[in-house]
């Protein structure tokens, strides 16, 4: 059967087979290193699962960041360094710092609109935010699947191409990871996100397909590899090079955007300014920030970001890793601090958001008694593919004491959030209903 390379699962499975047989080229990392890393990733511990890596330039100076959720009872909040290399202000009421990353506090979204305001959009950096000037920015498109040599695009040339605008979420594949530990008692590695590694923005930019066509993409093209201009990533003594993850040419020519605006503003530095890739529906790592060059290859490509990282490993997975991470999964979050206290006998509006990478959200149910009774939430947005829906339910607590709030979404494919997420060592794709503790006083 022909492989549909626009389906990430089929794509990655096909690539893995090709790579294992030595037919895919390892883009920029020594094949022996990649094999070593791959073997390590396949072993249950998966050292590369530690999603926070030291920046290449600061490798000697940066103390190792503890990211593994070693014991099920450990609260998933590793110490945050004072300067995580993020440019925008990170006030504690808006963000929780996690290594080089900043997680949006969901409570800080209450009362904001459908789009995540730029001052509270999460940041996921493998190293540090580089400061790039739009006037000097150049995109080089090159590779053996072009009809000629490399083609350069300046910022102005990119902006002169027909513009598209779309409202889309970007969500880290590890969003919700800490609940594998705190809710399911399982050990996972990686940044201990709660539910705030997601944001929704209105992106404006050029179509990647327009850029590739102007660069002379030919029918020989198989993979398209955008690469960031941020520092090289060094992990476990191996320099993985710059952040990059191949896209199959079918996806690259379909709906991918080279975005230069976010919510009507020039793209901020922390979110990839002046230009980033935005890949609708795909896990966040696909949306390469600070894009500097794009290789268009006639051969399948492999990088650490589609071998050891962003695949599923664990006892329930094949030894070579999963059927890969495809689209984001289904989740729901309350716009309320975890552990909040709420007054008894007073009616309040519980608000939250739900989203799915597969389809628009169809229904959200909320329980205020730990999952015994459920009521349907009212929607405040028309559910759309690629974005979240805001919802609310009124609640008048009748008894004092601790309880758990639960929100459970069902999307238009009929999939409902399960009680338990399927464990994998790197803690990706958590989709279970989260128990949100509150105390009625
Ligand atoms: N692109 C580059 N060049 N460097 C990075 O560290 N992080 C990726 C992706 N693109 C990353 C990158 C990951 S894992 C995610 S989830 C998103 O960017 C986060 O985008 P944001 O920081 O704008 O929220």
């Amino acid at each position: 059967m022909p492989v549909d390379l626009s389906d990430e699962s089929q794509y990655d499975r096909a690539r893995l087979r090709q790579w294992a047989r030595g037919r895919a080229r390892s883009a920029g990392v020594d094949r022996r290193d990649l094999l070593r890393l791959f073997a390590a990733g396949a072993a249950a511990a998966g050292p590369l699962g530690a999603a926070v890596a030291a920046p290449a330039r600061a490798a000697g100076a940066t103390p190792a960041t503890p990211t593994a959720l070693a014991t099920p009872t450990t609260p998933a909040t590793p110490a945050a360094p004072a300067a995580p290399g993020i440019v925008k202000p990170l006030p504690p009421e808006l963000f929780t710092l996690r290594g080089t990353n900043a997680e949006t506090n969901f409570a800080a979204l209450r009362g904001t609109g459908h789009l995540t305001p730029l001052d509270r959009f999460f940041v996921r950096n493998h190293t540090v935010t580089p400061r790039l000037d739009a006037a000097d920015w150049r995109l080089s498109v090159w590779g053996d699947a072009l009809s000629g040599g490399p083609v350069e695009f300046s910022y102005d040339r990119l902006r002169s191409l027909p513009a598209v605008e779309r409202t889309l979420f970007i969500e880290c594949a590890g969003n919700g990871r800490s609940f594998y530990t705190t809710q399911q008692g399982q050990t996972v590695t990686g940044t201990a996100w709660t539910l705030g590694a997601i944001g929704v923005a209105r992106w404006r930019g050029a179509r990647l397909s327009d850029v590739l066509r102007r660069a002379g993409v030919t029918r020989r093209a198989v993979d398209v590899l955008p690469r960031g201009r941020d520092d090289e990533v060094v992990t476990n003594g191996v320099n993985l090079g710059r952040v990059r993850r191949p896209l199959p040419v079918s996806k690259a020519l379909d709906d991918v955007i080279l975005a230069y605006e976010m919510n009507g503003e020039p793209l901020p530095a922390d979110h990839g300014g002046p230009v980033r890739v935005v890949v609708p529906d795909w896990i966040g790592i696909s949306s390469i920030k600070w894009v500097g060059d794009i290789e268009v290859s006639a051969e399948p490509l492999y990088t650490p970001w589609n071998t050891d990282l962003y695949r599923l490993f664990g006892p329930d997975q094949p030894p070579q890793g999963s059927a890969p991470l495809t689209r984001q999964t289904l989740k729901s979050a309350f716009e309320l601090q975890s552990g909040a206290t709420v007054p008894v006998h007073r009616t309040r509006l519980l608000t939250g958001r739900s989203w799915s990478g597969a389809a628009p959200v169809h229904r959200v149910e909320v329980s205020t008694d730990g999952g015994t009774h459920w009521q349907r939430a009212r929607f405040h947005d028309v559910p759309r593919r690629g974005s979240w829906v805001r919802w609310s339910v009124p609640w008048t607590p009748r008894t004092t004491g601790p309880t758990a709030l639960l929100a459970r979404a069902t999307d238009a494919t009929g999939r409902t959030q399960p009680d338990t997420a399927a464990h994998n060592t790197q803690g990706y794709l958590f989709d279970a209903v989260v128990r949100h503790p509150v105390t009625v006083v």
Side-chain angles (χ1 to χ4, degrees):
M1 214 175 59
V3 174
D4 173 8
L5 292 182
S6 66
D7 174 322
E8 192 177 1
S9 141
Q10 291 194 31
Y11 163 71
D12 258 13
R13 226 177 280 149
R15 283 289 175 281
L16 187 67
R17 278 197 304 271
Q18 288 166 324
W19 179 77
R21 292 179 200 142
R23 285 192 205 143
R25 182 156 58 80
S26 140
V29 180
D30 183 274
R31 189 171 160 79
R32 270 169 317 178
D33 279 344
L34 209 51
L35 277 166
R36 191 158 64 72
L37 292 167
F38 179 72
L48 266 183
V52 175
R57 278 210 298 253
T62 312
T65 312
T67 52
L69 306 176
T71 54
T73 46
T74 305
T77 42
I86 294 173
V87 172
K88 68 182 174 185
L90 302 169
E93 63 279 14
L94 302 188
F95 292 103
T96 302
L97 302 189
R98 303 197 184 280
T100 52
N101 315 294
E103 172 169 356
T104 302
N105 290 340
F106 245 92
L109 296 182
R110 187 172 165 101
T112 66
H114 183 85
L115 303 180
T116 309
L118 297 183
D119 70 348
R120 49 203 85 181
F121 202 101
F122 86 104
V123 181
R124 163 71 177 108
N125 279 351
H126 282 73
T127 60
V128 299
T129 295
R131 304 304 297 265
L132 306 175
D133 189 351
D136 305 331
W137 179 84
R138 295 284 180 282
L139 173 68
S140 169
V141 184
W142 60 281
D144 61 2
L146 296 185
S147 53
V151 178
E152 252 193 23
F153 292 80
S154 67
Y155 186 73
D156 287 346
R157 185 173 174 201
L158 193 77
R159 287 201 77 123
S160 72
L161 299 178
V164 281
E165 268 199 41
R166 283 195 67 189
T167 298
L168 297 165
F169 66 70
I170 288 189
E171 184 188 13
C172 193
N175 194 22
R177 175 181 283 129
S178 65
F179 298 109
Y180 280 109
T181 302
T182 56
Q183 196 162 288
Q184 301 190 175
Q186 294 159 333
T187 301
V188 291
T189 56
T191 304
W193 304 109
T194 57
L195 288 170
I198 180 170
V200 169
R202 184 93 182 138
W203 308 96
R204 182 181 170 86
R207 287 188 191 86
L208 177 58
S209 60
D210 284 344
V211 167
L212 294 179
R213 291 209 176 89
R214 277 166 176 79
V217 63
T218 66
R219 290 178 155 276
R220 285 179 292 123
V222 174
D223 273 353
V224 172
L225 182 68
R227 182 162 48 169
R229 287 239 181 113
D230 40 341
D231 284 339
E232 295 178 337
V233 178
V234 175
T235 184
N236 295 337
V238 177
N239 186 339
L240 304 180
R242 295 194 158 159
V243 177
R244 63 210 184 283
R245 191 182 205 243
L247 293 163
V249 70
S250 51
K251 180 71 175 171
L253 291 175
D254 181 16
D255 55 0
V256 178
I257 302 170
L258 289 171
Y260 43 72
E261 275 182 26
M262 187 177 180
N263 295 353
E265 304 277 337
L267 192 63
D270 292 315
H271 300 293
V275 180
R276 81 177 296 165
V277 178
V278 176
V279 181
D281 303 325
W282 286 40
I283 54 170
I285 184 60
S286 323
S287 293
I288 296 295
K289 303 195 275 189
W290 313 293
V291 59
D293 74 288
I294 300 180
E295 178 179 357
V296 186
S297 170
E299 282 177 282
L301 297 176
Y302 255 101
T303 77
W305 287 270
N306 64 343
T307 53
D308 295 281
L309 299 167
Y310 303 100
R311 315 178 60 88
L312 305 180
F313 294 96
D316 299 338
Q317 307 296 338
Q320 76 278 19
S322 67
L325 306 187
T326 59
R327 302 191 166 116
Q328 261 302 354
T329 186
L330 193 53
K331 289 193 191 69
S332 300
F334 287 93
E335 296 169 339
L336 185 68
Q337 289 296 352
S338 176
T341 49
V342 294
V344 70
H345 299 311
R346 211 167 308 147
T347 302
R348 64 182 292 135
L349 205 57
L350 294 173
T351 60
R353 300 174 192 233
S354 298
W355 61 97
S356 164
V361 172
H362 175 64
R363 184 177 71 234
V364 175
E365 298 149 295
V366 170
S367 170
T368 55
D369 59 5
T372 310
H373 300 94
W374 295 86
Q375 59 175 312
R376 199 159 166 165
R378 191 176 141 233
F379 281 180
H380 299 275
D381 293 305
V382 177
R384 289 196 206 287
R385 177 91 186 260
S387 195
W388 53 23
V389 63
R390 290 171 295 162
W391 46 257
S392 67
V393 288
W395 178 39
T396 316
R398 299 285 177 213
T399 48
T400 57
T403 184
L405 306 177
L406 282 68
R408 178 171 73 190
T410 300
D411 71 19
T413 69
R415 209 167 157 263
T416 298
Q417 288 183 253
D419 293 337
T420 310
H423 177 241
N424 62 95
T425 58
Q426 295 180 60
Y428 293 127
L429 300 185
F430 188 89
D431 59 355
V433 175
V434 170
R435 301 177 69 82
H436 189 113
V438 293
T439 304
V440 181
V441 290

